[in-house]
Amino acid sequence: MKFHSFFSFFFLFCLMQIVKASPSEMYRLTLYDKGDTYSAWEPEKFLSRKSIERRRKQGFVVDETDLPIDSRYFDALRNLGAEVRAYSKWVKTIVVNVPDSSVLQKINELPFVKKAAKVWKGDLSIERNERRKKSEGRESGGENEGQYWVSGRFDPDNYGEALTQIEINNALILHEKGYKGKGISIAALDGGFTGVSKYPAFFDPDKIVEVRNFTHEKGNFYEGEGLEDHGTRVLSCMLANNPGKMIGTAPLANYYLFKTEVKGDEYPVEEDYWIAALEYADSLGVDIVTSSLGYSKFDDPQMSHNWEDLDGYSTTISRAASMAAFKGMVILSSAGNEGNKNWQKVNIPSDAQNILSVGAVKNDSTLAPFSSWGYLINGRIKPDVMAMGYGCEAVSSSGNLTYSDGSSFSTPIMAGMVACLWEALPQLSSLELMNLVKESSDRFFHPDEYFGYGIPDIYKAYLKGKKQSYWAENMLPSMKDDPYEDSIYRNGRLYFKSIPTNPVAQLSIYSGEGELVYKQILLTDSVDVDFLQKGAYIACLQSGTNQQVWKFVK
């Protein structure tokens, strides 16, 4: 009897250990809809005033994609035993951790769940960080902090070896004119920012508005090893402001630091964390998002991407990235370092439409051997533009200057310059700004699969933006404060004021989720769109370098 009691206890103990050690799994649930709790006519309930104003200023409207997911959906999932880990209102997904297969079966039976796909497996005993607001746990500023900019003196020698990083794209003149990113907010999505709080001489704490961890990993946001140092070096390419040692490309911008990368493994759930951070940045009113992360292969080969996915729409992360421009944000994504590897092509989400995918060149403007190539599966040009990404000066987690290679660094370098350009040309929309940058590039009229449109000349873009109105004033009706007023859509047709013929105009219509649904050369002043389903759409009319973008509702 005692033997049986001991055996029963031992069996129960072993079973508990097996259950405890069993791996957790996360699933991405794609939803049929988001419920009907919110209305686009009351955006102040789910977007900040800055986010709403950014849309209004650029002629974009709050639409169905901006509406949050009904809280009752989350309650239903939690009642079944699932734990919500991430979600996206733009692409209608929820990521959940499920304790066992029986829970997943019940989840699949919920009326709002369209499908479920596994995106992670591992040990979920590691929990996420809490958000940290500005100035928590930071050291005070250094003695020389900000003195260079306050004094107003300009001396290229203050940039140190980072000077070449801004000179290649001819953006130093914007700094000389006083445009250093002031008033522009930049969100950096990365794997961690080790040591940033320790070196205020490089990283002005007053310029870091918020830090947040979107992953399931825990630990001090500013502490870590390996990949955690990556975000520190990325940030220094923009924010560094230590005269005589290093000055970044946008030292006066405001920064949001978001951790979306999991250090210990590589699974698609990182894409969901990335989307969550992107949407959060939008809700805050952030202007520019720079990401030096890319995805192609995962630890589980069955979850990996392939070349056929490189179309800007097949993956949720690329769809979300494509949509951001129509919220008024500029997204910059590193092309990747696969040029001399088997993958070769740009990583995801650099295949997204309406973003700037940034490749890497050396300090002599020749191609860095690792920089990922285009073209995409549908023939689109990628990468979009190039910046220095070989032998870049950066600040390490130990506070020392170091050299770093990769499109991970060409991307923030370009992001900082774009911030300076937007400060100088605040009247531009996100789409206009990106087009202007591409048009200033040295291969704009003969792009290729290695350089894309080439190396932008930021000062040239500045001059062009100052000299002309980038919106075609006599081509389409002017945009009002209410973009639905005097809509060009009436009774199933789009009506145009006049149609340019030299060069001819091309009309493209996108769904609210960024999918191209219609494209044709426009030869008449109206076009039948009655075949479209009811909903919000984005229409783009392109004639040469002139472009007009607006939304309409059918």
Side-chain angles (χ1 to χ4, degrees):
M1 188 70 178
K2 289 183 179 179
F3 174 78
H4 285 281
S5 298
F6 173 78
F7 180 79
S8 298
F9 171 79
F10 181 75
F11 177 78
L12 181 61
F13 174 79
C14 292
L15 182 61
M16 290 175 64
Q17 295 303 307
I18 292 173
V19 172
K20 181 178 180 181
S22 62
S24 297
E25 293 182 341
M26 292 190 205
Y27 288 83
R28 177 190 299 141
L29 311 178
T30 301
L31 311 181
Y32 282 108
D33 58 64
K34 297 187 292 183
D36 55 3
T37 304
Y38 296 91
S39 169
W41 301 110
E42 297 178 304
E44 64 278 356
K45 289 186 176 181
F46 47 87
L47 293 174
S48 68
R49 181 180 300 177
K50 185 179 178 183
S51 180
I52 297 170
E53 174 61 21
R54 188 193 61 216
R55 285 167 167 77
R56 189 206 64 79
K57 178 182 176 183
Q58 299 184 41
F60 300 123
V61 297
V62 176
D63 62 16
E64 187 275 336
T65 63
D66 294 305
L67 303 182
I69 299 171
D70 195 321
S71 61
R72 290 172 294 184
Y73 290 6
F74 297 110
D75 292 339
L77 292 167
R78 294 187 181 104
N79 290 338
L80 292 177
E83 181 182 10
V84 176
R85 284 286 169 175
Y87 55 87
S88 167
K89 57 186 179 182
W90 292 1
V91 293
K92 293 186 288 191
T93 59
I94 301 177
V95 175
V96 293
N97 174 47
V98 296
D100 56 61
S101 58
S102 64
V103 173
L104 180 63
Q105 182 177 352
K106 294 177 181 177
I107 288 174
N108 278 318
E109 295 172 355
L110 291 172
F112 56 84
V113 175
K114 185 176 183 180
K115 63 180 180 178
K118 186 188 295 185
V119 291
W120 188 84
K121 59 183 179 181
D123 181 6
L124 251 186
S125 61
I126 307 172
E127 294 296 335
R128 72 171 63 193
N129 274 346
E130 293 298 323
R131 181 175 66 176
R132 295 175 61 195
K133 287 286 189 178
K134 180 176 178 178
S135 76
E136 285 184 354
R138 292 198 179 91
E139 300 180 9
S140 59
E143 179 182 353
N144 296 322
E145 193 174 70
Q147 287 187 2
Y148 166 67
W149 297 119
V150 172
S151 69
R153 291 180 284 108
F154 179 81
D155 185 352
D157 291 339
N158 281 321
Y159 287 74
E161 294 192 37
L163 180 64
T164 307
Q165 294 164 200
I166 192 170
E167 282 188 324
I168 281 183
N169 295 99
N170 198 23
L172 191 63
I173 303 177
L174 266 67
H175 279 204
E176 187 174 6
K177 288 181 173 293
Y179 300 117
K180 312 165 195 101
K182 186 176 181 179
I184 304 297
S185 54
I186 303 174
L189 279 53
D190 215 283
F193 301 87
T194 310
V196 166
S197 62
K198 297 179 180 179
Y199 307 105
F202 285 109
F203 305 104
D204 183 349
D206 290 333
K207 295 299 179 185
I208 299 176
V209 181
E210 183 179 331
V211 300
R212 184 170 181 174
N213 183 2
F214 287 82
T215 76
H216 56 267
E217 291 182 314
K218 70 177 182 179
N220 189 306
F221 189 88
Y222 288 125
E223 295 178 5
E225 298 176 356
L227 184 61
E228 298 294 331
D229 176 61
H230 186 265
T232 306
R233 289 178 285 141
V234 165
L235 181 63
S236 70
C237 292
M238 301 177 285
L239 176 56
N241 189 12
N242 195 336
K245 294 185 177 180
M246 180 182 180
I247 292 175
T249 52
L252 294 189
N254 295 315
Y255 291 88
Y256 295 80
L257 312 183
F258 297 154
K259 173 178 165 60
T260 65
E261 187 79 355
V262 177
K263 177 184 174 184
D265 50 44
E266 190 81 353
Y267 282 99
V269 71
E270 292 175 321
E271 299 180 356
D272 296 281
Y273 295 148
W274 192 98
I275 297 172
L278 173 63
E279 293 186 14
Y280 182 64
D282 165 52
S283 72
L284 296 174
V286 167
D287 301 303
I288 295 172
V289 173
T290 181
S291 169
S292 293
L293 305 170
Y295 304 97
S296 57
K297 302 299 181 182
F298 296 108
D299 291 352
D300 185 339
Q302 293 183 340
M303 300 181 186
S304 294
H305 298 304
N306 53 56
W307 278 9
E308 284 68 32
D309 293 330
L310 292 172
D311 58 7
Y313 189 76
S314 291
T315 64
T316 55
I317 186 173
S318 294
R319 289 205 304 276
S322 298
M323 294 167 68
F326 299 106
K327 315 294 182 184
M329 293 191 292
V330 170
I331 310 300
L332 295 97
S333 176
S334 56
N337 305 324
E338 307 293 330
N340 53 2
K341 300 177 183 177
N342 290 336
W343 179 261
Q344 292 184 327
K345 301 288 188 178
V346 297
N347 282 323
I348 291 168
S350 270
D351 64 316
Q353 303 179 67
N354 309 309
I355 71 167
L356 291 177
S357 168
V358 186
V361 296
K362 298 180 180 180
N363 61 5
D364 60 358
S365 298
T366 59
L367 185 70
F370 51 76
S371 189
S372 290
W373 313 344
Y375 301 100
L376 299 187
I377 192 69
N378 53 12
R380 279 196 296 117
I381 300 296
K382 288 289 175 178
D384 293 297
V385 294
M386 309 293 283
M388 183 171 165
Y390 191 93
C392 300
E393 186 170 55
V395 180
S396 70
S397 58
S398 61
N400 296 319
L401 295 175
T402 185
Y403 293 106
S404 297
D405 298 339
S407 62
S408 284
F409 307 101
S410 61
T411 303
I413 288 171
M414 177 57 64
M417 292 185 285
V418 169
C420 298
L421 184 62
W422 216 351
E423 179 194 359
L425 303 171
Q427 77 278 8
L428 296 183
S429 71
S430 55
L431 291 166
E432 292 171 327
L433 186 68
M434 288 187 283
N435 283 337
L436 192 62
V437 170
K438 287 189 286 189
E439 289 168 12
S440 74
S441 302
D442 60 354
R443 297 171 186 249
F444 179 68
F445 293 106
H446 47 91
D448 60 39
E449 61 185 312
Y450 305 108
F451 286 83
Y453 294 104
I455 301 173
D457 184 326
I458 299 299
Y459 184 59
K460 177 182 177 182
Y462 165 77
L463 292 177
K464 182 174 182 179
K466 293 290 286 185
K467 288 180 179 178
Q468 67 179 50
S469 169
Y470 205 70
W471 293 69
E473 296 178 356
N474 62 346
M475 179 167 43
L476 294 170
S478 59
M479 185 69 72
K480 303 296 180 70
D481 286 345
D482 177 2
Y484 292 126
E485 185 179 345
D486 293 341
S487 172
I488 63 168
Y489 173 79
R490 295 190 300 276
N491 301 321
R493 299 186 70 85
L494 296 181
Y495 292 89
F496 302 90
K497 186 186 241 184
S498 62
I499 302 300
T501 57
N502 187 21
V504 295
Q506 178 173 274
L507 174 66
S508 301
I509 299 177
Y510 298 87
S511 69
E513 295 183 348
E515 180 183 9
L516 180 65
V517 296
Y518 181 81
K519 186 175 183 179
Q520 76 164 33
I521 299 298
L522 203 58
L523 301 177
T524 62
D525 62 359
S526 70
V527 60
D528 182 10
V529 292
D530 200 40
F531 62 90
L532 295 174
Q533 296 180 357
K534 291 183 178 180
Y537 293 90
I538 299 158
C540 301
L541 192 60
Q542 182 90 30
S543 175
T545 61
N546 291 321
Q547 182 185 65
Q548 176 75 317
V549 180
W550 72 102
K551 292 191 176 183
F552 67 93
V553 175
K554 181 178 184 295

